Amino acid sequence: MSSESHTVLLRGGTVHSPADPFATAMVVQGDSVAWVGSEGAADSFADGVDEIVDLDGALVTPAFTDAHVHTTATGLALTGLDLTGVAGLAEALDRVRAHAAARPADRVLLGHGWDASAWPERRPPSRRELDEATGGRPLYLTRADVHSAVVTTALLDRVPGVTGLPGYAPDAPLTGAAHHAVRAAAYGEVTPAQRTEAQRAALARAVSLGIGSVHECAGPEISSEDDLTGLLRLAAEEPGPRVTGYWAEAFTDAKDAERVRELGAAGAAGDLFVDGSLGSHTAWLHEPYADAPGTGTAHLDAEAVAAHVAACTEAGLQAGFHAIGDAALTAVTEGVRAAADRVGLARVRAARHRVEHAEMLTPEHIAAFAECALTASVQPAFDAAWGGEDALYAQRLGAERAATLNPYAALLRAGVPLALGSDSPVTPLDPWGTVRAAAFHRTPAHRVSVRAAFTAHTRGGWRATGRDDAGVLVPGAPADYAVWTAGDLVVQVPDDRVANWSTDPRSGTPGLPDLTPGTPLPVCLRTVVAGRTVYARPNE
């Protein structure tokens, strides 16, 4: 029997569906959901299906969509040197030494994840220390935000003229053009086989966590055309998550923008840099940093934003930008409004352009997002990692400005579409942890309900690509779902300001796992994409 007509009945669990808030069963036909309903009604389907799956009390939800991923870099971190969570400088250098010893054949050593803001020394490794730890070999080692890197002398020697580029410092992390140049040199040494291995590792990790779709944020300053096209080809040929590609190249003409389609990308979006990051002091601010001089780095102004949005809108493509600082977000919103004046607000809204990160939003920015129907593609794990009174955001901005960051509740109140992601490898692939981070934001006023965050991490990612019929388990929707072990299901809200009726079982609101900090997160048992099992947890 062909996969198009193969039918599966899942029963004996809980199915998270707005079609029936008390559903315990679901029928999948081919690549689509055919029916959702009660256990009693499921009996009438039992004789007519090809396969019956006993859920044994498990929870079935739509598969997650991670709306911002760097797949190859994620895979290289999974299979290589990852300094995420390292407690200090000495431990970091020890790991560098061990990695260098374990990879004697690598032409360039690659690593990721250091964050000296949390180390007792409050500084990254020096070039001299890295030269010693690697035995003089080339090393490229990115900060957690991937907007700066420390490198060895041997890698610098492979990049002629790097010392004259903006962002170069004799013994400090490289930023800007200098960083992009050494990144290109380092990744240029990755063989096609290494790249494919890394991509497979990242996609396998994604489906093991119930992620059925990822948005790859590629671009000429991040990866390469070969990297993007190779990933899209791999995703098409092998079982795994769906991959939607974005290519971060700025255009001024609709005809030029068409080349994005030739690459297989959905838009000229993703990490098209308007600024950098807070951790590297390169996010573009209206007022200076609290712990360093200057207001960051501007890569695109409002005029360039307007030209790009107009070109993409006329070409029928999504545009999008990386914007973190308040000055960067002002450039984006002013530019999008200027583009709307040129090509029409209705056309701009229909294109569903998107902004990645969108951290330092003001009420004026949020109003512009709502007016222009911009999707905010955000990463709640950033707040979990760097929010709070004493962490990196407060160090960089001071407590008052830091408390304004990542205002998810205000975005939802204004009607701004949200799509959640990880920016992996900046923060790990971790969908339930991402939902938890949004619901238990370190600034209570910015918290949203678990249900709202879950919707933004499932249906929101599909909507960000222009699909309104997916990311939810209703008849006719794509059969992209995950099966979980989970404890008691609840309707969880940030605080008692939410009406009490919404948490009462009689309201008919489907429950979700309890994500209170400290409670175990659900464990993925199976991930299905387009009706095809792409991950099954091994029996233990």
Side-chain angles (χ1 to χ4, degrees), residues 319-525:
F321 305 92
H322 162 119
I324 287 179
D326 52 0
L329 288 159
T330 296
V332 168
T333 52
E334 289 180 353
V336 174
R337 279 176 162 159
D341 290 341
R342 296 182 200 175
V343 302
L345 178 60
R347 292 179 69 191
V348 166
R349 288 178 59 87
R352 303 193 188 189
H353 303 309
R354 51 191 285 171
V355 182
E356 309 300 317
H357 315 310
E359 292 201 78
M360 210 170 169
L361 291 160
T362 66
E364 292 74 22
H365 296 143
I366 294 172
F369 272 51
E371 175 189 347
C372 300
L374 298 175
T375 294
S377 171
V378 298
Q379 296 75 40
F382 287 8
D383 175 75
W386 303 311
E389 295 181 359
D390 302 317
L392 183 137
Y393 287 157
Q395 294 170 24
R396 295 291 186 267
L397 301 172
E400 184 176 349
R401 280 190 294 177
T404 69
L405 264 59
N406 303 304
Y408 304 138
L411 285 164
L412 287 180
R413 283 195 300 269
V416 175
L418 290 186
L420 304 192
S422 62
D423 197 10
S424 180
V426 175
T427 60
L429 299 168
D430 180 15
W432 285 113
T434 296
V435 173
R436 172 184 280 172
F440 294 92
H441 197 295
R442 291 182 182 275
T443 303
H446 300 331
R447 293 174 180 170
V448 298
S449 69
V450 167
R451 183 186 181 195
F454 177 80
T455 299
H457 212 353
T458 49
R459 198 170 192 179
W462 283 91
R463 286 173 166 169
T465 64
R467 291 279 302 271
D468 292 332
D469 61 338
V472 61
L473 299 180
V474 297
D480 289 25
Y481 61 91
V483 181
W484 310 89
T485 58
D488 293 337
L489 303 183
V490 298
V491 178
Q492 202 162 17
V493 295
D495 54 43
D496 58 10
R497 290 175 298 177
V498 177
N500 288 333
W501 67 265
S502 67
T503 63
D504 190 304
R506 291 171 295 179
S507 70
T509 303
L512 285 166
D514 182 0
L515 299 184
T516 303
T519 59
L521 293 174
V523 174
C524 184
L525 301 177

Side-chain angles (χ1 to χ4, degrees), residues 18-65:
D20 183 346
F22 306 109
T24 60
M26 179 171 74
V27 173
V28 172
Q29 181 169 13
D31 60 2
S32 301
V33 176
W35 172 85
V36 175
S38 67
E39 194 64 27
D43 289 335
S44 63
F45 291 98
D47 292 335
V49 300
D50 303 302
E51 181 182 358
I52 297 176
V53 175
D54 182 2
L55 293 170
D56 193 24
L59 170 67
V60 181
T61 72
F64 286 100
T65 293

Side-chain angles (χ1 to χ4, degrees), residues 111-166:
H112 165 75
W114 59 268
D115 181 2
S117 69
W119 294 355
E121 301 86 357
R122 292 293 177 98
R123 70 168 181 86
S126 68
R127 192 163 301 148
R128 178 186 58 79
E129 289 168 330
L130 292 174
D131 286 346
E132 182 277 327
T134 60
R137 295 170 63 190
L139 168 71
Y140 171 69
L141 189 57
T142 54
R143 193 186 180 281
D145 57 19
V146 199
H147 282 271
S148 61
V150 289
V151 301
T152 55
T153 304
L155 181 58
L156 285 177
D157 289 344
R158 296 190 179 201
V159 189
V162 67
T163 58
L165 293 176

